[in-house]
Amino acid sequence: MCFDYGGTLDGPGSHWLPRFHQLYRDAGLALPFDRFRAAFDHATRCGYAEARVSTMDLQALIEFHVARQLEHLDVRNAELATHVVDTFVTDARAALAAMGMLPTAFG
């Protein structure tokens, strides 16, 4: 069972918002925080509205979220999307594994 997913268990105790923002900055897309927050919030609302999100594994969930973020930002860059998704998922899996909490649903 996984509870409180979104930063406490899958990362360094920080929310997904600043983690994603930093990943974009590290990849060369420096966005004002308020502009990125609007994209992140848009992606989150899309996730709540999409029933199939509840059946997604970690990889699919992050791909969905990043696609909605970039859609809101009007950024079309598949390489950037892949980099952000892969880095985020790798970091989340490492954090979960370090705690002995890598749930199969998010494998």
Side-chain angles (χ1 to χ4, degrees):
M1 173 168 60
C2 190
F3 57 92
D4 198 22
Y5 198 75
T8 303
L9 298 177
D10 66 305
S14 62
H15 189 269
W16 283 11
L17 174 65
R19 289 167 53 199
F20 272 117
H21 188 240
Q22 186 63 49
L23 286 174
Y24 284 107
R25 288 176 33 173
D26 291 348
L29 183 62
L31 298 165
F33 187 78
D34 290 342
R35 182 169 176 226
F36 178 72
R37 177 169 199 129
F40 182 89
D41 291 346
H42 166 76
T44 299
R45 284 190 303 275
C46 289
Y48 288 138
E50 179 62 56
R52 67 185 172 94
V53 164
S54 67
T55 66
M56 292 178 181
D57 65 7
L58 177 61
Q59 181 78 30
L61 174 64
I62 301 307
E63 287 171 355
F64 176 89
H65 208 281
V66 168
R68 302 297 85 72
Q69 292 169 20
L70 293 174
E71 169 186 278
H72 188 82
L73 293 166
D74 198 26
V75 172
R76 290 168 185 82
N77 185 328
E79 185 176 309
L80 173 66
T82 298
H83 173 76
V84 169
V85 168
D86 289 349
T87 303
F88 190 93
V89 170
T90 297
D91 292 350
R93 285 185 175 146
L96 289 166
M99 295 178 64
M101 298 184 73
L102 188 58
T104 57
F106 292 108

